[in-house]
């Protein structure tokens, strides 16, 4: 439904959002000040759906607070104790390991900063957890702690992070950001690192391939401007590195911290506004978290309609928030979280620390490839009544995995995944195929094709089809043998490779701005076309064989209607996403017009030819 | 039938049908529902204001022979913890309340056949005379039916006598969900849905103003919720006797229903009900959200989903407390909660006349 604004200052902002334009600090002020909560929520929900569809993520996580002994004394902290105080504690590595159970997928480690721990002890915690529970991603140490290690152990930040990474650290929590202005820092936590230090630690982590999260502590003495300055600084850092996974606004809990804000607890309206405004301001951060432990379950579940697409998880031992009087019970069972998300009308998606979906707890889920080239299908699919289907954006490779476990009912499958699961899938009449070139599966290379013999190629984690296409071209067309190395999800240092294979929006973006150090750029679809004189088919629509006939018919009608509707407005529907990659309206239009979305005779011919070639090669990554 | 057509109807002031109501309840996105509700809320009450009343909810007896399965409050005569206060005791109670600024006493009790009709009349007369600051808002329909049975007078005669004693408003509790299937399942020994409506109808005819309530989140289905709306909307067309509609979710603690329904209905449901009530009950002047029944935070959110009243401050409350659901506030806090939600707080009477307007404070 369109938005019927009650606040006349909002429509110009809505205009910007629909064009994919970035909001200014002044826009942020208008959003915070509006009394038209519903319209604010609808705008944020719109952006949330563009980014995450109907998905709301949670993780089976365990929080470890290895010690509450801390050399600092931040004013708002009623967690820290001094050594020797009666309830001060320090956990041994064994004690820590005994707290973790095998089903845990993310271990979140933060704690106080005692003066007498050795550096090895911190490394050992990470290594021991990683070794004993390889399925659990270790998310450890806030920027404040990293900075403390840096000063105490006299090691460069980068070195600290490298050692932790080598021990098994996968991601980092976002704590310690508080509010990024000197005024607030001096008043409340003069001993903490402040914006510059915080962002430096995070950016360094991103460059090493460690994605992180970021936070903001609100509801104490900060002004609205200061909240927005905070968000803008995070947005700028994200422009540089792209390594933040999520933003978590944390409602201040006064408890016995001695700080007396106006209210005992932030008002629900403030909580919801803060979630919504952060979704709108932080256009480059993928996820916004409604941290239920602090917000209360009730507000967190409403927040899932106000821009939040993550609800944290089954946190075991949430001591910092609990000591200060959070209302929520300590441990919400997984079922309870699933219920909370379903009641908000969303798809509960269990994730890992990188936001890869592991389990999907809903029926009638359509997987959505989040690339610009599939917008012609999904744009109007999302807008029309979805006939009881829900939409889950997921990278192609993940979609294959979920579908294999029966967790996805339909979607655009990467061609290799379709081959793999052909027996269980019904092929529908649509696809993503090229006309000639495609610009979104690109090899960025330091060498020409034959020069790549014996070299190392970094390949995207996202889809098997492009990897196979590259291999087929290398081996069958050019007779070249290479080594494939999988790229990390998140951020990467590409310099160590001789070539990298990128797909989707990344490929499109770097094709436009260039990828430093890689002079040659090959379009794989064009290579295929010149060779086979056939279009290339990247993905095909398919649904579970077991779907009822009625659902199948409904699905086909929906896809067909959505595509027909999109065909006259390629520029417009792709514009928002196109802009984020750096394409203007006519470039977006031209790019989308380069695809054929209907599975015809020639596309089917390609499918069999490609299947034959793939069977002749042998892929190892 | 689709949602945007319904919205067009709502915008042009047309009444929605049962089918449309059901569609909205089951299919409409939460925020779209809120948006539609606000359309009506601001048409009826264009100011960015939210009213509240300073009131108290004492009880004169907890002895009751109705045995509702959802009730954690009642005792049988002779049970430990049973009580029945004298009129004198209650008047003292009201005086203390008046000294604290209370303007409305919402008085209810169990259905206790040992209490004579005179007691009820005397309570009203003495309150009017001895504590004139207080507006008596006494006796639910269940008690009125009980009085009628014990005294042998018709409902109409009972109501007439209450009116003559000086009572002008009656609380709307006891409606639960107006469906005989649900009421039977919940073990209501007294009063069908039609009985509740009939007491209200007769009261409105005499000139009483009452509220209408709904307690949901137990054994009812969506159809029955719409049915409830439909029945009170139809009655409102006859005499316009309802001042406001007040929904709340069932609190299962310490009730026999606890085993079947272990949890409260979720907050989403409350917001949907508030919004849908605002849309459906187009002949009601006010929809009341409360800080009390769903918590302060969700109460605040509900003010953006079509509610324009924040209920009472409830200085004394025993019924929910018996279900282990305790929520306390002060007048200052209620004012602050309303201000933080982005509205000007206005103190009102039981009849929704404005008494005092507080300042508007820019939220956040
Ligand atoms: S907030 Fe962290 S750094 Fe500050 S005193 Fe507490 S535990 Fe120590
Ligand atoms: S709800 Fe009222 S009528 Fe029912 S048992 Fe409780 S006191 Fe009696």
């Amino acid at each position: 439904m369109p938005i019927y604004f009650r606040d006349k200052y909002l429509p110009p902002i809505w205009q910007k959002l629909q064009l994919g334009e970035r909001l200014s600090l002044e826009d942020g002020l208008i959003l915070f000040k509006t009394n038209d909560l519903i319209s604010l929520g609808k705008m944020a929900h719109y952006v949330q759906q563009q980014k995450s569809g109907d998905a709301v993520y949670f993780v089976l996580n365990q929080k470890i607070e290895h010690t509450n002994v801390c050399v600092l004394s931040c004013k708002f902290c009623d967690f820290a104790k001094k050594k020797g105080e009666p309830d001060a504690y320090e956990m041994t590595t064994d004690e820590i390991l005994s707290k973790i159970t095998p089903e845990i997928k993310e271990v979140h480690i933060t704690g106080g900063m005692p003066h007498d721990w050795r550096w090895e002890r911190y490394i050992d915690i990470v290594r021991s957890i990683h070794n004993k529970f390889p399925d659990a991603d270790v998310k450890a140490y806030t920027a404040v702690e990293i900075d403390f290690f840096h000063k105490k152990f006299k090691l460069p930040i980068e070195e600290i992070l490298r050692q932790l990474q080598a021990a098994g650290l996968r991601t980092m929590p976002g704590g310690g950001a508080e509010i990024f202005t000197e005024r607030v820092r001096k008043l409340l936590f003069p001993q903490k690192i402040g914006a510059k230090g915080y962002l430096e630690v995070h950016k360094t982590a991103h460059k090493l391939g460690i994605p992180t999260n970021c936070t903001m502590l609100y509801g104490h003495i900060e002004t609205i401007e200061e909240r927005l300055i905070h968000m803008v600084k995070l947005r700028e850092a994200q422009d540089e590195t792209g390594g933040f996974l999520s933003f978590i606004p944390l409602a201040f809990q006064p408890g016995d911290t001695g700080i007396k804000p106006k209210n005992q607890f932030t008002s629900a309206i403030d909580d919801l506004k803060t979630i919504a405004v952060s979704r709108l301001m932080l256009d480059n951060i993928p996820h916004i978290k409604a941290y239920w432990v602090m917000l209360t379950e009730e507000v967190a579940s409403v927040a899932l309609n106000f821009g939040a697409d993550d609800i944290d998880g089954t946190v075991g031992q949430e001591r910092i928030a609990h000591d200060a009087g959070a209302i929520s019970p300590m441990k919400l069972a997984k079922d309870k979280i699933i219920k909370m998300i379903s009641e908000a009308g969303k798809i509960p998606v269990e994730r890992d620390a990188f936001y890869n979906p592991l389990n999907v707890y809903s029926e009638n889920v359509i997987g959505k490839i989040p690339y610009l080239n599939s917008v012609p299908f999904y744009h109007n699919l999302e807008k029309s009544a979805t006939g009881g289907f829900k939409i889950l954006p997921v990278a192609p490779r993940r979609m294959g995995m979920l579908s294999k476990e029966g967790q996805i009912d339909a979607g655009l499958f990467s061609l290799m995944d379709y081959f793999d699961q052909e027996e269980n899938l019904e092929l529908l009449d649509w696809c993503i195929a090229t006309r000639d070139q495609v610009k979104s599966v690109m090899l960025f290379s330091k060498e020409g094709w034959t020069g790549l013999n014996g070299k190392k190629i970094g390949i995207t984690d996202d889809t098997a089809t492009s990897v196979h296409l590259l291999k087929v071209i290398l081996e069958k067309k050019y007779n070249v043998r290479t080594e494939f190395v999988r790229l990390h999800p998140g951020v990467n240092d590409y310099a160590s490779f001789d070539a990298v294979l990128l797909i989707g929006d990344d490929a499109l973006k770097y094709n436009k701005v260039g990828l430093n150090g890689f002079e040659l750029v090959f379009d794989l679809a064009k290579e295929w076309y010149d060779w086979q004189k056939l279009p290339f088919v990247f993905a095909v629509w398919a649904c579970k064989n077991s779907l009822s006939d009625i659902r199948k018919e409904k699905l086909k009608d929906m896809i067909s209607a959505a595509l027909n509707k999109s065909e006259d407005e390629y520029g417009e529907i792709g514009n928002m996403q196109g802009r984020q990659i750096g394409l203007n309206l006519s470039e977006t239009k031209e790019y989308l017009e380069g695809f054929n979305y209907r599975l015809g005779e020639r596309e089917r011919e390609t499918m069999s030819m490609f299947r034959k070639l793939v069977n002749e090669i042998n892929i190892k990554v | 039938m689709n949602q945007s057509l319904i919205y067009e109807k709502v915008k042009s002031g047309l009444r929605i049908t049962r089918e449309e109501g059901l569609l909205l309840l089951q299919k409409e996105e939460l925020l779209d529902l809120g948006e539609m509700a606000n359309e009506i809320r601001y048409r009826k009450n264009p100011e960015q204001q939210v009213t509240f009343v300073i009131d108290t909810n004492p009880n004169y007896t907890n002895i009751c022979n109705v045995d509702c399965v959802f009730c954690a409050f009642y005792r049988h005569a002779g049970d430990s913890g049973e009580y029945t206060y004298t009129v004198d005791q209650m008047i003292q109670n009201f005086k203390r309340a008046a000294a604290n600024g209370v303007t409305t006493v919402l008085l209810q009790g169990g259905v206790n056949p040992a209490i004579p009709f005179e007691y009820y009349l005397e309570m009203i007369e003495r309150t009017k005379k001895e504590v004139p600051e207080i507006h008596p808002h006494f006796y639910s329909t269940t008690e009125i039916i009980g009085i009628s049975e014990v005294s042998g007078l018709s409902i109409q005669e009972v109501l007439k006598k209450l009116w003559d004693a000086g009572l002008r408003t009656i609380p709307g509790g006891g409606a639960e969900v107006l469906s005989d299937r649900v009421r039977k399942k919940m073990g209501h020994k007294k009063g069908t849905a039609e009985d509740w409506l009939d007491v209200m109808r007769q009261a409105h005819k005499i000139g009483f103003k009452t509220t209408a309530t709904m307690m949901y989140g137990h054994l009812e289905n969506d159809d029955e919720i719409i049915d409830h709306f439909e029945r009170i909307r139809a009655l409102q067309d006859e005499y316009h006797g309802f001042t406001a509609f007040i929904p709340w979710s069932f609190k299962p603690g310490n009730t026999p229903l606890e085993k079947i329904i272990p949890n409260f209905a979720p907050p989403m449901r409350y917001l949907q009900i508030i919004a849908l009530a605002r849309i459906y009950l187009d002949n009601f002047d006010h929809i009341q959200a409360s800080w009390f029944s769903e918590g302060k935070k969700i109460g605040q959110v509900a003010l953006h989903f079509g509610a324009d009243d924040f209920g009472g401050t409830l200085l004394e409350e025993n019924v929910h407390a018996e279900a282990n659901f305790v929520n306390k506030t002060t007048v200052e806090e209620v004012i602050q909660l309303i201000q933080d939600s982005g509205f000007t707080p206005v103190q009102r009477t039981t009849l929704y006349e404005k008494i005092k307007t507080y300042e508007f404070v820019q939220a956040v």
Side-chain angles (χ1 to χ4, degrees):
Chain A
M1 234 173 59
I3 307 182
Y4 297 92
F5 290 98
R6 314 199 75 82
D7 176 348
K8 65 174 191 296
Y9 295 106
L10 298 182
I13 296 180
W14 179 227
Q15 198 85 34
K16 277 179 145 181
L17 289 168
Q18 284 176 305
L19 292 172
E21 278 175 29
R22 181 162 271 197
L23 301 188
S24 67
L25 196 136
E26 291 66 35
D27 294 329
L29 283 173
I30 292 172
L31 295 173
F32 262 120
K33 289 196 173 135
T34 188
N35 280 322
D36 190 354
L37 185 71
I38 297 278
S39 299
L40 172 62
K42 284 184 80 166
M43 291 193 285
H45 195 226
Y46 171 84
V47 174
Q48 171 193 350
Q49 287 196 303
Q50 300 273 323
K51 295 199 186 271
S52 308
D54 296 315
V56 169
Y57 298 90
F58 70 95
V59 60
L60 302 183
N61 60 352
Q62 170 79 33
K63 189 157 183 172
I64 298 289
E65 280 147 356
H66 41 283
T67 177
N68 62 355
V69 174
C70 191
V71 293
L72 299 191
S73 353
C74 301
K75 275 215 183 96
F76 60 85
C77 175
D78 59 358
F79 162 75
K81 296 282 178 292
K82 293 295 163 211
K83 217 173 170 93
E85 283 188 82
D87 33 12
Y89 71 85
E90 298 174 61
M91 290 163 83
T92 63
T93 302
D94 281 343
E95 279 169 343
I96 291 171
L97 289 174
S98 73
K99 300 244 173 242
I100 302 168
T101 49
E103 72 271 21
I104 295 293
K105 293 293 182 330
E106 180 184 286
V107 183
H108 180 129
I109 310 171
T110 64
M113 295 177 285
H115 74 279
D116 56 353
W117 280 33
R118 289 178 316 121
W119 171 226
E120 285 67 36
R121 187 159 174 184
Y122 295 101
I123 298 266
D124 186 53
I125 294 177
V126 172
R127 187 185 300 113
S128 311
I129 297 174
H130 178 65
N131 289 346
K132 184 149 181 218
F133 301 97
D135 286 345
D137 293 320
V138 179
K139 174 175 169 188
Y141 307 129
T142 62
V144 181
E145 291 164 276
I146 300 291
D147 181 69
F148 171 76
F149 303 154
H150 154 65
K151 293 192 175 117
K152 181 155 177 60
F153 306 117
K154 309 218 168 11
L155 290 168
I157 287 171
E158 189 177 328
E159 182 55 27
I160 299 261
L161 293 170
R162 275 192 198 285
Q163 290 191 27
L164 290 169
Q165 189 177 29
L169 176 90
R170 305 295 301 277
T171 65
M172 278 170 54
E178 324 310 6
I179 283 282
F180 283 160
T181 64
E182 278 301 290
R183 182 189 80 87
V184 174
R185 190 180 76 85
K186 285 201 182 115
L187 284 170
L188 291 193
F189 28 85
Q191 298 168 307
K192 277 204 178 157
I193 50 180
K196 205 163 155 275
Y198 179 93
L199 292 174
E200 193 194 327
V201 170
H202 282 268
K203 287 197 279 190
T204 310
H206 298 167
K207 283 174 195 145
L208 294 175
I210 305 171
T212 72
N213 301 281
C214 52
T215 61
M216 175 177 82
L217 187 71
Y218 70 97
H220 42 88
I221 60 161
E222 85 292 355
T223 64
I224 294 308
E225 282 85 351
E226 285 173 322
R227 289 188 197 179
L228 289 162
I229 291 170
H230 187 98
M231 292 180 193
V232 168
K233 285 195 171 156
L234 288 172
R235 186 169 75 181
E236 285 166 359
Q238 180 76 339
D239 277 342
E240 276 179 55
T241 61
F244 288 123
L245 295 166
S246 78
F247 172 73
I248 311 149
L250 297 171
F252 179 65
Q253 319 257 314
D256 0 292
T257 53
I259 296 174
K260 291 257 177 313
K262 198 172 63 154
N263 297 330
Q264 184 60 20
F265 290 101
T266 52
S267 88
I269 307 304
D270 193 8
D271 295 337
L272 294 176
K273 277 186 177 176
T274 306
I275 295 263
V277 174
S278 51
R279 178 61 293 162
L280 296 175
M281 292 297 290
L282 300 173
D283 52 7
N284 52 5
I285 296 188
H287 305 284
I288 304 288
K289 185 184 283 189
Y291 188 42
W292 65 266
V293 175
M294 287 195 176
L295 286 177
T296 74
E297 285 162 52
E298 288 76 18
V299 177
S301 84
V302 176
L304 304 181
N305 278 275
F306 279 80
D309 69 339
D310 183 2
I311 198 150
D312 198 69
T314 53
V315 258
Q317 213 195 5
E318 189 43 86
R319 298 226 33 253
I320 294 191
H322 182 71
D323 280 356
I327 300 163
S328 303
M330 266 318 248
K331 187 173 164 116
L332 262 198
K334 179 173 154 191
D335 299 0
K336 201 165 178 186
I337 291 188
I338 291 174
K339 186 163 166 278
M340 208 186 328
I341 298 172
S342 313
E343 278 167 358
K346 304 287 176 183
I347 310 174
V349 180
E350 186 196 333
R351 63 167 175 86
D352 65 12
F354 301 104
Y355 283 84
N356 291 312
L358 302 174
N359 284 299
V360 178
Y361 296 92
S362 172
E363 308 275 296
N364 293 320
V365 174
I366 297 181
K368 170 189 171 180
I369 297 185
Y371 301 143
L372 179 56
N373 62 22
S374 24
V375 165
F377 289 115
Y378 293 104
H379 183 82
N380 285 309
L381 208 55
E382 281 169 323
K383 293 185 94 178
S384 68
T386 45
F389 284 100
K390 292 190 186 139
I391 308 253
L392 174 71
V394 54
R397 197 169 72 87
R398 285 280 156 184
M399 183 148 95
M401 290 162 65
L402 290 172
S403 154
K404 214 168 195 164
E405 291 167 19
Q407 304 203 27
I408 289 218
D409 301 276
L412 248 178
F413 287 83
S414 168
L415 191 57
M416 287 307 299
D417 287 321
Y418 171 73
F419 287 161
D420 193 32
Q421 299 175 40
E422 225 163 349
E423 295 124 59
N424 301 320
L425 293 176
E426 177 172 324
L427 186 63
L428 306 176
D429 292 334
W430 299 273
C431 64
I432 296 190
T434 53
R435 295 194 195 278
D436 45 23
Q437 52 179 9
V438 64
K439 290 202 217 94
S440 67
V441 178
M442 315 287 286
L443 187 74
F444 296 83
S445 181
K446 294 175 181 166
E447 310 277 347
W449 285 105
T450 43
L452 283 171
N453 207 6
K455 296 284 169 66
K456 203 163 77 174
I457 303 184
I459 56 162
T460 167
D461 196 41
D462 284 348
T463 142
T465 305
S466 19
V467 176
H468 283 79
L469 176 60
L470 176 61
K471 192 83 173 178
V472 162
I473 290 173
L474 283 164
E475 295 196 3
K476 293 287 172 182
K477 185 171 177 188
Y478 294 108
N479 201 15
V480 164
R481 299 285 180 273
T482 56
E483 183 197 350
F484 279 10
V485 180
R486 204 176 280 286
L487 298 168
H488 303 291
V491 257
N492 280 280
D493 182 4
Y494 297 133
S496 61
F497 301 106
D498 300 292
V500 286
L501 174 71
L502 297 179
I503 69 166
D505 295 0
D506 274 347
L508 207 48
K509 181 166 89 193
Y510 288 119
N511 184 49
K512 180 134 196 241
V513 298
L515 187 60
N516 217 348
F518 298 86
E519 248 111 73
L520 301 174
V521 184
F522 300 107
D523 184 328
L524 297 196
K526 183 167 186 308
E527 288 288 332
W528 169 268
Y529 184 82
D530 293 346
W531 178 31
Q532 299 288 345
K533 296 289 172 278
L534 280 174
F536 191 74
V537 180
F538 290 101
V540 291
W541 268 96
C543 67
K544 262 188 191 168
N545 274 334
S546 60
L547 214 58
S548 73
D549 287 345
I550 304 173
R551 304 298 298 156
K552 281 181 190 164
E553 281 317 306
K554 174 91 208 163
L555 180 69
K556 290 181 200 167
D557 288 349
M558 280 166 48
I559 300 172
S560 153
L563 183 63
N564 289 341
K565 189 151 184 285
S566 297
E567 263 165 347
D568 305 326
E569 42 175 28
Y570 277 170
E572 293 70 25
I573 59 172
N575 195 28
M576 180 163 168
Q577 203 167 339
R579 268 170 186 265
Q580 280 166 7
I581 311 167
L583 303 186
N584 63 33
L585 192 96
S586 65
E587 286 168 327
T588 299
K589 185 160 180 284
E590 192 197 321
Y591 171 69
L592 292 179
E593 282 170 350
F595 291 97
N596 170 20
Y597 292 108
R598 290 185 173 76
L599 191 68
E601 269 321 302
R602 284 167 48 79
E603 287 74 27
R604 287 177 200 265
E605 211 180 306
T606 296
M607 285 172 71
S608 18
M609 170 60 88
F610 188 60
R611 191 191 331 244
K612 182 173 143 286
L613 288 166
V614 164
N615 285 335
E616 292 168 16
I617 59 165
N618 142 34
I619 270 226
K620 236 182 22 246
V621 181
Chain B
M1 185 164 53
N2 85 26
Q3 282 105 309
S4 45
L5 288 181
I6 303 179
Y7 194 67
E8 285 314 310
K9 260 178 107 168
V10 167
K11 268 183 98 99
S12 42
L14 293 172
R15 176 166 277 197
I16 66 165
T17 64
R18 294 175 65 105
E19 292 69 34
E20 289 164 340
L22 193 61
L23 182 81
L24 291 182
L25 183 60
Q26 296 180 331
K27 294 271 157 60
E28 188 58 300
E29 294 238 6
L30 180 69
L31 295 182
D32 290 339
L33 210 51
E35 190 168 60
M36 269 188 231
N38 279 333
E39 188 67 34
I40 304 180
R41 186 264 192 232
Y42 287 103
R43 192 189 309 144
K44 289 189 179 275
N45 183 357
E47 325 258 3
Q48 189 71 18
Q49 292 183 339
V50 165
T51 47
F52 69 96
V53 61
I54 303 181
D55 69 352
T56 183
N57 252 16
N59 303 102
Y60 56 92
T61 183
N62 65 352
I63 295 179
C64 187
N65 63 9
V66 181
D67 301 338
C68 303
V69 282
F70 54 83
C71 179
F73 165 75
Y74 74 89
R75 302 286 184 277
H76 288 144
D79 284 355
S80 73
E82 56 122 300
Y83 61 80
T84 302
Y85 297 121
T86 63
V87 175
D88 263 342
Q89 284 172 313
M90 292 316 294
I91 294 290
Q92 289 316 312
N93 179 313
F94 302 164
K95 282 187 173 156
R96 279 195 302 275
N100 282 319
V102 165
T103 64
T104 292
V105 173
L106 194 170
L107 182 68
Q108 298 180 115
V111 175
N112 180 351
I115 302 179
F117 191 19
E118 289 66 39
Y119 171 97
Y120 294 93
L121 298 174
E122 191 189 333
M123 189 86 78
I124 301 166
E125 283 157 3
R126 288 190 55 192
T127 305
K128 299 281 285 186
K129 210 160 77 220
E130 295 174 37
V131 211
E133 312 90 294
I134 295 285
H135 173 101
H137 189 48
F138 291 178
Y139 315 135
S140 67
T141 51
T142 322
E143 290 156 277
I144 291 168
I145 296 170
I147 294 169
S148 142
E149 284 175 6
V150 170
S151 65
L153 298 171
S154 70
I155 298 285
Q156 200 186 1
E157 286 164 333
V158 171
L159 285 167
K160 199 81 192 57
K161 284 192 187 301
L162 293 172
W163 176 275
D164 291 342
L167 194 65
R168 290 295 176 268
T169 67
I170 295 175
E176 326 313 357
V177 168
L178 293 170
S179 139
D180 289 331
R181 183 193 72 85
V182 175
R183 294 168 84 84
K184 211 163 149 208
K185 272 208 154 167
M186 292 189 66
H188 256 278
K189 283 194 277 180
K190 258 189 190 53
T192 59
E194 198 41 52
D195 288 339
W196 185 91
L197 287 162
D198 188 55
V199 174
M200 287 297 170
R201 182 178 295 111
Q202 303 216 36
H204 293 170
K205 208 178 201 167
I206 296 172
F208 282 105
K209 294 288 177 191
T210 74
T211 54
T213 62
M214 178 171 81
M215 181 180 76
Y216 64 92
H218 36 85
L219 303 169
E220 84 286 356
N221 58 36
D222 290 347
D223 257 323
E224 288 160 339
I225 286 184
I226 301 296
D227 222 26
H228 186 103
F229 286 158
E230 179 62 32
R231 294 174 100 160
I232 58 176
R233 185 171 75 180
L235 176 53
Q236 180 76 332
D237 279 341
E238 294 179 41
Y239 301 101
H240 203 82
F242 291 121
T243 51
F245 174 71
I246 315 167
W248 65 84
S249 67
F250 168 59
K251 308 293 175 306
N254 291 343
T255 72
L257 275 180
E258 194 174 2
K259 295 225 164 42
I260 326 175
I261 307 160
N263 299 312
F264 302 179
M268 299 285 290
R269 187 68 168 176
Y270 183 65
L271 299 177
Q272 281 175 328
I273 298 269
I274 286 275
L276 186 59
R278 183 58 292 172
I279 298 165
Y280 206 96
L281 303 175
D282 57 352
N283 50 7
F284 276 64
D285 294 338
H286 305 283
I287 303 291
Q288 185 183 113
S290 121
W291 58 271
F292 175 72
S293 56
E294 317 301 315
K296 292 166 187 166
K297 288 195 168 207
I298 294 303
Q300 288 184 305
V301 179
L303 298 178
H304 290 273
F305 283 77
D308 64 343
D309 185 76
F310 210 42
T313 51
L314 300 188
L315 293 183
E316 184 181 345
E317 203 285 331
N318 308 309
V319 175
H320 278 79
E322 291 281 342
N324 291 338
F325 186 88
V326 183
N327 219 346
K328 287 225 168 285
T329 189
T330 58
V331 175
E332 293 70 41
E333 194 187 22
V334 163
I335 291 166
Q336 167 114 58
L337 287 169
I338 295 173
Q339 285 171 333
D340 285 348
S341 307
F343 298 92
T344 302
V346 176
Q347 188 194 342
R348 64 160 172 89
T349 66
T350 317
L351 288 163
Y352 286 82
E353 300 139 338
K354 295 178 181 179
I355 305 178
K356 179 173 177 190
T357 303
Y358 291 81
E359 49 172 335
F360 176 78
V361 177
Q362 178 63 55
V364 296

